[in-house]
Amino acid sequence: MARTSAAFSGGVRLSDYLGVSVIARVYPRGSVREALRSLNRDSRRRRDLPAEVMVYYVIAMALFRSVSARGVLRCLSDGLRWISPDLPMRMSGKSSISRARTRLGAAPFAALRASCVAPLADAGTIGACYRDLRLVAFDGSTLDMPDEARNRGEFGLPNASRGSPAFPQARVTAMVELGTHAAFAWHAGPLAESEAVQAGMLLGHLSPGTLVLADRYYMGFPLWSRAVATGADLLWRVKTNMRFPVIERLDDGSWRSVLRGSGRDRRKSRGELPVRIIAYRIREGETVMLATTLADHRAAPAEELAALYHGRWETGTACDEVKTHILGPGAALRSKTPGLVYQEIDGLMLAWYAVRRLIHEAAGKAGEDADRISFIHAVHVMRRRIINPGVFSPGGPDGRGN
């Protein structure tokens, strides 16, 4: 179905004429240029839609789901000239935009992520740490995309209880900082890739001084052992069919045990890993069991860790931010080819990170918990600051442009 341009309403302030300054502050032009140059993707000749423009376009596209492809470009045009008057650009049609995105590819966004995306929390960030450990969590989600043959072949279709599923889906797993809700690492792939497999691809971002929280779907000897090898501490929910012998009962009700592989995992593991188990019953009557590497029950009491684990569900809210408040109703991507799907997902995640950084900075200045600042309002602010109605020329607010 063709998209129609959306009209923008609301009051305009002088700060709104900064155009893409919010995105450009998180992803400076110098970093964008370096990412393109490192991959030999920078525009060597004058183009209507140079590579630098398309990087900002793909990120902005995530914030304007109801706006046509050309409408997103129109939103950016004046703002980009405001920031960089020397940046060549002219309005183009949908097919030209698609060709420019295809030339650009997905690799520059991975390079930009490597240079500009990092955990945001500092010593003053509320809810960012347990004792002296920085809190992060794995979380995953799926994203619909246009039903094109190449997309179906690359990503696959979900199972459907009735009839056939309507759209192919990509699976995305992110590593999210709990204090800021900022995803600082992510991996996207076919639906057949499990969240545990994708989480394994993110382990390089873990280090000592981090406490990783994860749901039971990630729990298993292979991933646990690899995560432990990074030096990070772990607090993961245990699957209901796993059994942990009591080696030593501790004063807080937890006990020391071991994690063993099962079946083929056991033959591969050739050993076992020490764990501490915490079991408790929640209000609905369900028993929850957690495994942790935090062996000292005096330094990390079971009651504190049980309360801390439920903070892990903040990441569920984080994924909801992407699907509900950025993508909006339907939560479907636009791209019709696998390469552009991967590119769009990176742009979406970079846009999410930019919004979360804006919230983190505002929370720090106000001395507030980032959870108390509206994500929806922050997205509206980002959108408003991207839009430049063209009142001012590229030369500045005095109207003396080129």
Side-chain angles (χ1 to χ4, degrees), residues 217-238:
Y217 304 110
Y218 297 93
M219 186 61 186
F221 188 93
L223 185 59
W224 180 278
S225 60
R226 291 175 58 200
V228 167
T230 67
D233 282 295
L234 313 180
L235 178 64
W236 295 9
R237 187 170 179 179
V238 172

Side-chain angles (χ1 to χ4, degrees), residues 79-342:
L80 284 170
R81 292 191 182 102
W82 180 279
I83 294 173
S84 303
D86 63 319
L87 189 60
M89 178 182 175
R90 53 182 286 190
M91 293 303 299
S92 301
K94 183 177 180 180
S95 60
S96 296
I97 293 171
S98 180
R99 287 194 297 271
R101 286 185 60 199
T102 301
R103 284 195 304 270
L104 181 64
F109 295 90
L112 190 62
R113 176 177 61 189
S115 64
C116 296
V117 175
L120 297 173
D122 51 38
T125 303
I126 299 172
C129 294
Y130 172 69
R131 307 294 173 101
D132 57 348
L133 298 173
R134 181 166 55 89
L135 297 173
V136 303
F138 293 125
D139 201 39
S141 189
T142 57
L143 296 171
D144 291 344
M145 65 191 70
D147 186 18
E148 302 288 338
R150 284 178 288 179
N151 284 347
R152 290 197 302 272
E154 171 71 16
F155 297 100
L157 295 166
N159 294 325
S161 57
R162 296 182 180 178
S164 58
F167 300 104
Q169 289 184 340
R171 189 181 305 281
V172 184
T173 300
M175 189 174 292
V176 180
E177 192 177 40
L178 290 190
T180 64
H181 290 205
F184 60 93
W186 55 85
H187 176 82
L191 193 60
E193 280 184 352
S194 69
E195 291 183 21
V197 168
Q198 293 191 343
M201 300 177 185
L202 303 177
L203 295 181
H205 297 273
L206 295 179
S207 60
T210 301
L211 178 58
V212 187
L213 284 68
D215 201 358
R216 55 191 165 192
Y217 304 110
Y218 297 93
M219 186 61 186
F221 188 93
L223 185 59
W224 180 278
S225 60
R226 291 175 58 200
V228 167
T230 67
D233 282 295
L234 313 180
L235 178 64
W236 295 9
R237 187 170 179 179
V238 172
K239 298 174 184 176
T240 56
N241 62 349
M242 299 182 75
R243 298 293 179 263
F244 294 89
V246 178
I247 295 176
E248 180 186 1
R249 182 74 65 176
L250 302 173
D251 294 341
D252 64 350
S254 62
W255 69 92
R256 301 191 197 283
S257 187
V258 292
L259 172 65
R260 303 186 181 101
S262 59
R264 185 170 57 182
D265 292 338
R266 178 179 295 174
R267 295 195 296 273
K268 286 184 175 181
S269 68
R270 298 179 181 177
E272 54 191 30
L273 292 172
V275 294
R276 178 174 157 226
I277 301 299
I278 300 163
Y280 57 96
R281 194 177 299 276
I282 57 179
R283 185 177 303 168
E284 293 78 8
E286 180 183 3
T287 297
V288 175
M289 191 179 299
L290 307 176
T292 183
T293 57
L294 298 172
D296 188 345
H297 64 287
R298 289 174 290 270
E303 186 174 331
E304 290 184 5
L305 295 183
L308 181 65
Y309 175 77
H310 287 283
R312 176 252 176 254
W313 295 111
E314 292 178 359
T315 57
T317 303
C319 283
D320 178 69
E321 290 174 353
V322 175
K323 296 186 73 168
T324 303
H325 302 313
I326 292 184
L327 286 179
L333 303 173
R334 306 178 188 230
S335 302
K336 297 183 178 181
T337 65
L340 294 188
V341 167
Y342 284 117

Side-chain angles (χ1 to χ4, degrees), residues 56-80:
Y56 288 116
Y57 173 88
V58 171
I59 298 173
M61 187 172 65
L63 296 172
F64 293 104
R65 302 306 305 171
S66 62
V67 182
S68 68
R70 198 165 188 267
V72 175
L73 188 63
R74 186 179 298 110
C75 295
L76 282 175
S77 60
D78 289 338
L80 284 170

